[in-house]
Every structure is written in structure tokens, then in C-alpha cells.
Amino acid sequence: MYELTHNQAQTIVDRMMMDIPYNINIMDHTGRIIGSGNKRRIGTLHHGACKAIRQGQTVEIHKDEELVKKGINLPIEWNGHIIGVVGISGEVTEMRPFGNILKSAVILLIEQNIALEKANLKNNLKQEFFSLLIDSDTTYTKELISQALTYGIELTKSSQIIYVESSSEIAEDMMKSLPSFRMSNYSLCIVVQETDKIEALQQTIANQYPNAFISISKMNDTVSEGMLQAKLAMRVLKGVYFDVKAISYSQCEFIADILKLHKNDTKAERLIHSLEKDDELIKTLQVYLSCNLNANVSADRLMIHRNTLNYRLQKIHSITGKDPKHILDLVELICMLIKRIK
């Protein structure tokens, strides 16, 4: 049997008493007050409600008595059970229309809460399934393969992952025709098993969320491997590139795999701390990389003199001990940029 809570009942009472100048009480299925305009009465037994529950019908009290005040008490029924009572104090003839309004409000709230609980349960089951799917230790059993079909995923087929991060909240049903899973309010994972849809899908995302970052995995036999690739590519995108919004794992596979192999690299962590407070130097390094180490193009893009660019690169060398113009040192600096992204 559905049970009304104190928070639900008090919310209704507070809202309705803003418009109705009479005291309102809401009682649970035992007749105990769980919401009231008179907070001191919460937790006490309401005798008019107890009578309404026993009789299974509206109880009108026409004059004040020792234990009850005049007013009207209407039982709230749900699925054939009385789950509570709503009462309003005052002259019965005046209270009748208010009582029916209150009763309808409670029933409406119950319907909304049940719908919300069902939606939350559905979302929780979906997220539990996806957490299992992106776990590299998960085996594709017959049961899991069958469950995946309910979300539009054929685990016997290869798939690609599109991973999206945005500064604004992303709608989970953004891609209604494709299986998508919310990683957070600002990130979404889309499972794609038809490669010819990737380009159009990427454009759709970019149109709806112009500031979003998009990373795309390679085709993989498991969703977990695709998710790993997409997240590594996202770190490369946000760490290394400046003013670029999309990347595929195949574009950065080498550096992404270095990152995967050296995930506990303390040297890169130390380099991060040496530059983390200097956004200008980080931006300079990102643009220098984006321009394929071309000093002239980099200086133009940064709108600075080439000598200023060289000064900044030398400063990076001085602070980190790594020379951006030296290929091996540059690889370490790239790893440092990526390590900044969590």
C-alpha cells in the first residue's frame, strides 16, 4: 500500500494554505497527523480522521467537541485502500469545496510521485546495466546479451562510442534513435553500431551543443574498450588542443596509449604543478602543438610577435626543464598537458 510521507503532506498543506485561509491537516492511514498548518499537532492522533478511516467515508463535524474541531475530513483512496485523510477546519458548508480540492491535490501528488519513482527505477536499472557494460571484467553472457537488446545494443556486433562533454546540461534523450547513457548531467555516452551514422551524429551534437567536446572511439568488440578509448581521446582533446571540439581515438592513438601505459607517471604530475597556474604558457604550448610546431603560424594565431613566442617557449623550458623544440621533451610536455585533465 502506498504511504504518504511527512514532506509530501506538509508541502501540500503549506502550498494550499497560501490560498485558503483555514487550517489544513493531512493524516496518514492510521489517522496520525503528518502535515498541518499547526506544526505542534504533527504526530498527534486526529480523531475525525480515525472516524473517517473506520467508516470509509467523509466525516463532517458541525460543532467543536472536546477532541475534535468542526470541519470536514475526507478519506484519500488509492487502489482500493484508504492511505490517508485530508481535513480542513471551519464551517462545514464552506469547507466542502475546499476539501474536494485538497483531496484532488493529494491524489495528483501521489500519481506524480509514483510516475517519478518508476522513472527513477528505470534510470537506475539503465545506469546499473551500463556500469556493468563498461567494466572490462564483464563477460557477455546470454542474459547480458538479451538485456542489451532492450536498450537497442547488439553485443554480438562491434560498436563505436561517441563520448560528449558539455558545459551545459545534456538531455539524455538527445539521440532518441540510438542507445545513449548519461555519465553525469554534463556528459553522455552514445553507442553506435552503424558507422555511416557517425558524421551526421557528430554534426547534430555540435548543432545542439556548440560548446561540447566530442570524442569518438574506434570500432571494438566490447563497449568497455570503446569507452576507454573515447575517454582517453577526450583527455587528449581537452589537454593538448586549443579551440578544437572533436577528436577520434585513431587521430591520437599513440599518445593516448602512452597515457594509458603511464597512468601513474609522477614525473608528469610534477610538470603539471610547475605550469598549472600559468594559463598563458599552457595556451601557448597548446597552440604551438596545434600548428605543428610552426613558429610563424603559432605567433600569428596567438596574435603575438615571433620573438614573444620564443620567449614563452624558453620560459616553459626554464620552468619545466623540458624544451618544446626538442621532440622527446615535447612528448613529456604533451603527457603533462593531458594529465591536467581528470
Side-chain angles (χ1 to χ4, degrees):
M1 183 174 71
Y2 187 88
E3 291 190 13
L4 281 166
T5 68
H6 162 67
N7 287 339
Q8 291 169 350
Q10 193 61 49
T11 297
I12 293 175
V13 169
D14 292 342
R15 188 182 303 151
M16 297 303 290
M17 286 188 65
M18 291 174 67
D19 301 313
I20 299 174
Y22 302 100
N23 187 58
I24 296 169
N25 296 306
I26 294 180
M27 285 63 70
D28 64 13
H29 66 282
T30 68
R32 198 164 298 279
I33 299 174
I34 56 174
S36 176
N38 182 355
K39 303 294 194 298
R40 290 175 297 180
R41 295 196 65 189
I42 293 175
T44 63
L45 202 63
H46 191 288
H47 295 276
C50 291
K51 187 175 181 181
I53 292 168
R54 285 196 307 270
Q55 296 181 357
Q57 61 185 15
T58 298
V59 170
E60 297 179 347
I61 300 170
H62 293 270
K63 62 180 181 177
D64 290 341
E65 299 175 8
E66 183 180 355
L67 297 175
V68 294
K69 290 183 177 292
K70 60 185 176 181
I72 186 169
N73 298 284
L74 300 93
I76 303 163
E77 293 187 26
W78 185 259
N79 289 337
H81 298 281
I82 295 176
I83 62 170
V85 176
V86 59
I88 182 166
S89 304
E91 295 295 336
V92 170
T93 53
E94 295 178 22
M95 297 305 107
R96 282 179 188 140
F98 292 130
N100 289 327
I101 291 171
L102 284 169
K103 181 176 178 179
S104 298
V106 174
I107 292 173
L108 180 61
L109 178 67
I110 291 169
E111 291 174 346
Q112 291 174 339
N113 281 343
I114 288 176
L116 183 61
E117 286 172 5
K118 286 181 179 178
N120 287 338
L121 177 61
K122 185 178 179 180
N123 285 334
N124 289 340
L125 290 173
K126 184 178 181 181
Q127 290 307 124
E128 286 176 11
F129 163 76
F130 190 63
S131 295
L132 189 63
L133 207 57
I134 60 176
D135 185 338
S136 59
D137 293 328
T138 296
T139 301
Y140 285 1
T141 62
K142 287 183 178 179
E143 291 78 9
L144 190 64
I145 291 171
S146 176
Q147 186 181 3
L149 289 174
T150 64
Y151 297 107
I153 303 172
E154 295 182 54
L155 293 181
T156 54
K157 291 175 59 177
S158 298
S159 61
Q160 276 180 284
I161 298 298
I162 295 183
Y163 180 55
V164 185
E165 287 189 3
S166 176
S167 57
S168 58
E169 190 166 338
I170 303 175
E172 188 171 354
D173 61 350
M174 176 179 66
M175 297 299 157
K176 294 181 180 179
S177 61
L178 292 170
S180 59
F181 301 86
R182 188 189 292 276
M183 309 295 292
S184 72
N185 287 339
Y186 305 96
S187 59
L188 192 72
C189 172
I190 305 167
V191 181
V192 184
Q193 297 189 289
E194 298 176 33
T195 55
D196 60 343
K197 291 185 176 181
I198 293 290
E199 188 174 342
L201 182 55
Q202 184 177 334
Q203 189 59 53
T204 299
I205 296 168
N207 289 340
Q208 290 191 39
Y209 299 93
N211 295 319
F213 293 96
I214 304 168
S215 62
I216 306 168
S217 77
K218 297 166 68 175
M219 288 292 288
N220 293 281
D221 291 334
T222 63
V223 173
S224 61
E225 181 60 26
M227 191 70 232
L228 176 61
Q229 291 178 1
K231 295 197 81 171
L232 285 171
M234 179 63 75
R235 292 185 67 185
V236 174
L237 172 64
K238 296 176 74 174
V240 175
Y241 291 92
F242 178 75
D243 202 26
V244 175
K245 294 297 183 182
I247 194 172
S248 65
Y249 178 75
S250 58
Q251 290 176 273
C252 61
E253 186 170 356
F254 175 74
I255 197 67
D257 285 346
I258 290 177
L259 181 68
K260 182 168 58 176
L261 290 171
H262 298 279
K263 59 183 178 180
N264 297 318
D265 186 358
T266 55
K267 185 184 292 184
E269 295 288 346
R270 287 196 298 272
L271 289 177
I272 294 169
H273 294 308
S274 66
L275 276 184
E276 65 181 349
K277 293 181 180 179
D278 200 324
D279 292 337
E280 183 180 77
L281 292 183
I282 288 174
K283 178 181 175 181
T284 298
L285 186 54
Q286 289 175 325
V287 171
Y288 185 60
L289 289 166
S290 297
C291 295
N292 293 318
L293 317 187
N294 187 309
N296 289 328
V297 176
S298 299
D300 288 344
R301 189 167 178 188
L302 288 165
M303 293 185 289
I304 59 176
H305 194 277
R306 178 167 172 164
N307 290 342
T308 304
L309 174 67
N310 286 327
Y311 168 77
R312 291 183 185 177
L313 295 177
Q314 288 168 7
K315 190 174 181 182
I316 291 170
H317 187 186
S318 173
I319 292 173
T320 66
K322 303 299 173 183
D323 185 356
K325 296 181 180 180
H326 187 284
I327 188 64
L328 294 180
D329 284 357
L330 186 61
V331 171
E332 289 194 58
L333 288 169
I334 291 171
C335 288
M336 177 274 293
L337 289 172
I338 299 170
K339 284 281 187 178
R340 291 172 53 246
I341 309 301
K342 300 301 182 183

